Amino acid sequence: MLPHSLTFALILFLSTFFVNVSATNNKLPKGFSIDLIHRDSPLSPFFNSSMTHSDRAQNAALRSLSRANRFGQSSTAETSELVETDIFPNDGSYLMKISVGTPPVERWALADTGSDLIWFQCSPCPQCYPQNAPLFDPKSSSTYMSLPCGSDPCNSLPQFSVQGQLYPKCGTSNECTYFYLYGDKSYTMGELGVESVSFGQAASFPKTVFGCGHNNNGLYNMNNAGLVGLGQGNLSLVSQMGNVGRKFSYCLPPYSPKTTTKLRFGEEVAISGNGVVSTPLITKPGSLSSFYILNLEGITVGQQTVQTGESNGNIIIDSGTTLTMLPSSLYEQVEALMKQAIGADQFIVEEGPYKLCYSNANSIQNFPNFEVHFTGANLSLKPQNFFRPISNDVTCFAMLPTGGMPIYGNVAQIDFGVEYDLDKKKVSFAPVDCTKQ
Ligand SMILES: *[C@@H]1O[C@H](CO)[C@@H](O)[C@H](O)[C@H]1NC(C)=O
Ligand SMILES: *[C@@H]1O[C@H](CO)[C@@H](O)[C@H](O)[C@H]1NC(C)=O
Ligand SMILES: *[C@@H]1O[C@H](CO)[C@@H](O)[C@H](O)[C@H]1NC(C)=O
């Protein structure tokens, strides 16, 4: 199981301008940016100072594994009840601060590129997981409006069958009653409504489709009041922001207590320079349609390249998963080349899941050249992108094998500007010093 002491946070920075957005006059903000703080940052109000660096490294690895596995197991076991789709939750690397309602209430919510629905725990809540902040009360908001069953947003929800009952369904007052199940069996159940959503003074989005969860369960953390889906589906924040959501970028700095991550939207997005390379964003139908899928052609270690021989999209890019999860056969070959290139004695870490580790005593003198070949975009990674210190003495290869869904995780993305362009259907990368962004 996942470690559930999820302590994380993200802080939203305010732009200097206020843009009011209205669905009726189509005045959209042209761009704004949000600063994120990693869950393990001491700046996070939920930082657990008694955890060691190795506890955090261990937890991050377990979350990455779990995230990939959940996806791979989606059609089995208890989820056989599942009718249409599976939803893939974030491992909880980042939280974002989001305001909901009128007057606005500010809450921390998981930022998740692997799912779509935006939801909060709402009162009354017969079954909520505990949270520190008060529950959101739709009755105290003048802008909350429930949506009827049969409405377009209600029909955009994935369908689930729970104990013979098909969701979404019509509630007692004809409201849209939803059930939203994640791959790890966490779920939220409640009423679909529209509500005003805002990010400080930077941007506000009235009439955002929003789930008011009255029965929620799973591996959430008491510090987060809900979840913000940033996937490609109709109900995600990205999709509901209109044009400004069609382009977004981030630049993840190496972990340090003081650095923040910028999530930029619209015109604030700016990755540029000679080093920019782009790879197609591959759209898949059905349950994969929310994900940001790229095609990984191969990986070079030193002078040797392992090819996947694939071209149709085989890996999800995700800012919320820590480690990179490779298909097992590819992983084995890459690991073998890495061992050979490093040549030092391996350090055996008793408690997995890291597989290839070295103690700093035989510290690695020469890290090999390491390139990731996406279709059209070759990325040359630095050692910090593929090795990760898990304690003062031990450093480990930051990739793992999975029989589930391969994921290009956030360690591999450190010090790259990463831009998602949903209209041009491409993801671009540029090597950048993200601490200077
Ligand atoms: C903080 O971390 C320590 C060590 O892992 C753990 O025992 C403790 O329960 C954690 N505290 C909270 C509030 O999560
Ligand atoms: C998403 O929205 C588009 C355009 O409004 C619509 O054609 C499509 O059917 C919607 N998708 C789902 C899954 O409802
Ligand atoms: C990427 O690298 C591969 C292998 O070194 C090479 O064959 C290919 O031409 C390169 N592609 C681009 C777009 O630079």
Side-chain angles (χ1 to χ4, degrees):
M1 284 306 282
L2 279 171
H4 49 279
S5 60
L6 303 181
T7 52
F8 32 55
L10 170 152
I11 279 179
L12 186 78
F13 271 25
L14 314 178
S15 288
T16 49
F17 56 92
F18 177 76
V19 190
N20 196 7
V21 191
S22 139
T24 49
N25 67 13
N26 270 343
K27 256 175 66 189
L28 296 162
K30 291 194 171 127
F32 63 99
S33 59
I34 302 169
D35 276 19
L36 314 177
I37 289 178
H38 194 272
R39 46 176 288 160
D40 293 333
S41 166
L43 294 184
S44 152
F46 314 119
F47 180 68
N48 181 347
S49 59
S50 48
M51 276 175 81
T52 63
H53 179 77
S54 18
D55 291 340
R56 292 188 190 105
Q58 184 78 358
N59 287 350
L62 289 170
R63 285 193 309 272
S64 304
L65 268 177
S66 162
R67 182 153 160 89
N69 288 341
R70 273 179 237 155
F71 189 86
Q73 293 161 355
S74 63
S75 57
T76 60
E78 297 107 282
T79 44
S80 57
E81 281 265 3
L82 197 86
V83 172
E84 193 192 69
T85 189
D86 195 16
I87 300 158
F88 186 27
N90 195 303
D91 79 357
S93 285
Y94 300 99
L95 280 188
M96 65 197 298
K97 200 178 240 179
I98 177 172
S99 295
V100 172
T102 309
V105 295
E106 199 171 63
R107 295 284 185 273
W108 300 97
L110 274 167
D112 186 8
T113 51
S115 68
D116 294 325
L117 188 65
I118 304 167
W119 62 271
F120 270 25
Q121 298 208 104
C122 283
S123 64
C125 204
Q127 194 196 324
C128 273
Y129 57 86
Q131 69 176 50
N132 292 339
L135 296 172
F136 178 69
D137 182 2
K139 290 204 182 66
S140 349
S141 169
S142 61
T143 41
Y144 181 81
M145 227 172 58
S146 75
L147 283 166
C149 57
S151 57
D152 284 347
C154 192
N155 292 337
S156 286
L157 285 162
Q159 290 191 315
F160 293 102
S161 164
V162 187
Q163 292 163 345
Q165 176 72 61
L166 195 61
Y167 288 83
K169 65 169 193 172
C170 291
T172 48
S173 324
N174 225 36
E175 76 276 16
C176 175
T177 302
Y178 74 84
F179 179 80
Y180 202 81
L181 177 70
Y182 297 88
D184 65 351
K185 326 260 190 305
S186 322
Y187 63 84
T188 171
M189 188 177 195
E191 176 187 290
L192 200 66
V194 289
E195 182 51 290
S196 170
V197 161
S198 55
F199 298 93
Q201 301 292 298
S204 93
F205 301 90
K207 304 215 164 127
T208 301
V209 179
F210 166 84
C212 224
H214 297 295
N215 286 277
N216 317 300
N217 207 350
L219 299 164
Y220 302 108
N221 178 267
M222 61 198 327
N223 297 317
N224 78 277
L227 188 147
V228 177
L230 297 170
Q232 295 199 69
N234 285 357
L235 298 182
S236 78
L237 178 67
V238 166
S239 300
Q240 294 197 65
M241 289 196 309
N243 284 339
V244 75
R246 304 297 293 168
K247 222 175 172 189
F248 61 96
S249 71
Y250 51 75
C251 196
L252 308 176
Y255 175 77
S256 116
K258 295 259 165 66
T259 48
T260 57
T261 301
K262 276 194 163 43
L263 181 58
R264 302 168 183 266
F265 286 97
E267 288 186 357
E268 293 275 306
V269 167
I271 74 161
S272 58
N274 292 334
V276 181
V277 290
S278 302
T279 187
L281 191 52
I282 293 161
T283 309
K284 301 235 178 183
S287 63
L288 291 171
S289 61
S290 295
F291 306 131
Y292 299 105
I293 301 172
L294 307 182
N295 190 67
L296 178 63
E297 292 184 348
I299 289 180
T300 298
V301 183
Q303 302 303 315
Q304 283 175 286
T305 302
V306 185
Q307 308 278 0
T308 63
E310 290 175 33
S311 58
N312 288 328
N314 53 6
I315 192 163
I316 289 174
I317 177 167
D318 184 22
S319 60
T321 300
T322 305
L323 305 180
T324 288
M325 309 299 301
L326 297 176
S328 302
S329 61
L330 175 63
Y331 175 86
E332 298 306 334
Q333 295 173 75
V334 168
E335 192 200 77
L337 292 174
M338 185 61 75
K339 276 187 197 164
Q340 193 184 33
I342 289 182
D345 287 338
Q346 237 178 289
F347 179 86
I348 306 300
V349 176
E350 296 291 337
E351 288 172 32
Y354 290 96
K355 293 182 80 78
L356 180 61
C357 299
Y358 296 93
S359 83
N360 291 355
N362 350 301
S363 67
I364 308 164
Q365 294 306 315
N366 291 302
F367 285 97
N369 165 52
F370 195 94
E371 287 168 41
V372 175
H373 307 285
F374 291 113
T375 299
N378 288 339
L379 306 184
S380 182
L381 302 195
K382 296 197 183 116
Q384 66 174 359
N385 297 119
F386 57 93
F387 268 92
R388 187 166 199 259
I390 65 157
S391 70
N392 288 336
D393 312 318
V394 178
T395 186
C396 298
F397 189 41
M399 302 193 177
L400 291 177
T402 180
M405 189 67 197
I407 303 171
Y408 194 67
N410 61 40
V411 168
Q413 299 177 53
I414 289 172
D415 277 346
F416 282 94
V418 183
E419 176 184 318
Y420 296 66
D421 189 328
L422 307 191
D423 290 325
K424 293 190 179 141
K425 292 199 177 301
K426 63 177 187 177
V427 174
S428 303
F429 299 88
V432 182
D433 179 351
C434 293
T435 57
K436 301 224 167 86
Q437 288 287 292

